[in-house]
Amino acid sequence: MNSHYFVKNPSTPSKEKIITYQIHGLSIPLLTDTNVFAKNGVDEGSDTLLKVLIPLIHTGKVLDIGCGYGVIGLTLASLIPDILVTASDINLRAVDLCQRNAHALELSKQVTTLQSDLYEKIEGKFDYVVSNPPIRAGNAVLIKLYRGAHDHLKTSGSLFIVVRKKQGAESTVTHLKEFFSAVEVLKKHKGYWVIKATK
């Protein structure tokens, strides 16, 4: 029986493979496995988010929360040398993959990986929090993710997320407006909304 990708210790037997992500003329090989999100290839949501993010981030500290095997954080680090990325996930298998991918891409000095249940082990403040949030984990988890992002951002820092319209993008915008000073939808693509919320 498959376990979800947002558990600490996945129960499905490991079956590693390498996928290649193409973006901005770069080919990024990434090791994936069972019980991690988008194991067969980078999903449309993360790809849409990254294409919006890359021109907007130039320097600073980035937290990739729910990093999976590292698509968002490692792509940003590969293309933007002046950022420091902390990539965290509750899933130990995902964190191990992300760490190994960072090493293989020679990004270990730029990217720190850690296992953390949301912000449990996250220290310090960040210029950016980025996430393709685990919608299937449920509203309680998502609310903690968004409110925790606010708490872990520097003043004027921004949360960037991608949410499908049919999975609650509009209500997410409404919720974020309750505690962020500015919320905007930066892009709509194939039903995915890229949302920016600034502290």
Side-chain angles (χ1 to χ4, degrees):
M1 183 174 171
N2 281 358
S3 61
H4 293 294
Y5 58 83
F6 45 83
V7 296
K8 183 174 181 179
N9 290 299
S11 59
T12 307
S14 173
K15 193 175 182 181
E16 294 181 352
K17 66 178 178 180
I18 291 176
I19 62 160
T20 302
Y21 179 42
Q22 310 267 358
I23 187 168
H24 282 252
L26 199 64
S27 294
I28 305 174
L30 294 163
L31 187 64
T32 81
D33 202 345
T34 54
N35 280 136
V36 295
F37 179 66
K39 66 178 181 181
N40 294 317
V42 175
D43 68 294
E44 191 90 46
S46 294
D47 181 62
T48 302
L49 177 61
L50 278 163
K51 285 173 178 170
V52 172
L53 277 177
I54 289 161
L56 298 180
I57 295 179
H58 306 290
T59 187
K61 292 175 66 180
V62 179
L63 173 61
D64 178 6
I65 190 96
C67 64
Y69 52 84
V71 174
I72 296 172
L74 296 179
T75 299
L76 291 175
S78 295
L79 289 164
I80 310 165
D82 291 332
I83 61 169
L84 292 173
V85 176
T86 298
S88 77
D89 202 294
I90 190 174
N91 184 328
L92 285 165
R93 185 176 292 177
V95 172
D96 177 63
L97 289 167
C98 185
Q99 188 170 35
R100 289 158 67 193
N101 284 328
H103 179 74
L105 294 166
E106 299 183 350
L107 294 170
S108 296
K109 290 182 179 177
Q110 202 178 343
V111 178
T112 301
T113 57
L114 77 158
Q115 190 277 334
S116 177
D117 184 355
L118 291 176
Y119 301 92
E120 178 185 41
K121 299 174 189 171
I122 305 296
E123 296 178 355
K125 300 276 187 179
F126 296 84
D127 300 286
Y128 309 97
V129 176
V130 299
S131 187
N132 183 346
I135 299 298
R136 289 181 178 85
N139 276 339
V141 171
L142 296 174
I143 288 167
K144 287 180 184 176
L145 192 155
Y146 303 146
R147 292 187 177 266
H150 183 274
D151 295 341
H152 285 80
L153 282 166
K154 298 176 183 176
T155 303
S156 300
S158 295
L159 166 69
F160 291 91
I161 56 172
V162 60
V163 182
R164 294 177 85 168
K165 184 180 180 184
K166 68 180 183 180
Q167 291 180 325
E170 291 177 81
S171 60
T172 300
V173 169
T174 301
H175 176 66
L176 292 172
K177 284 180 176 176
E178 293 175 14
F179 54 99
F180 278 94
S181 62
V183 180
E184 55 187 314
V185 179
L186 299 181
K187 185 172 185 175
K188 296 178 182 179
H189 175 73
K190 294 185 179 179
Y192 290 93
W193 289 23
V194 176
I195 302 164
K196 177 185 179 183
T198 302
K199 184 170 177 176

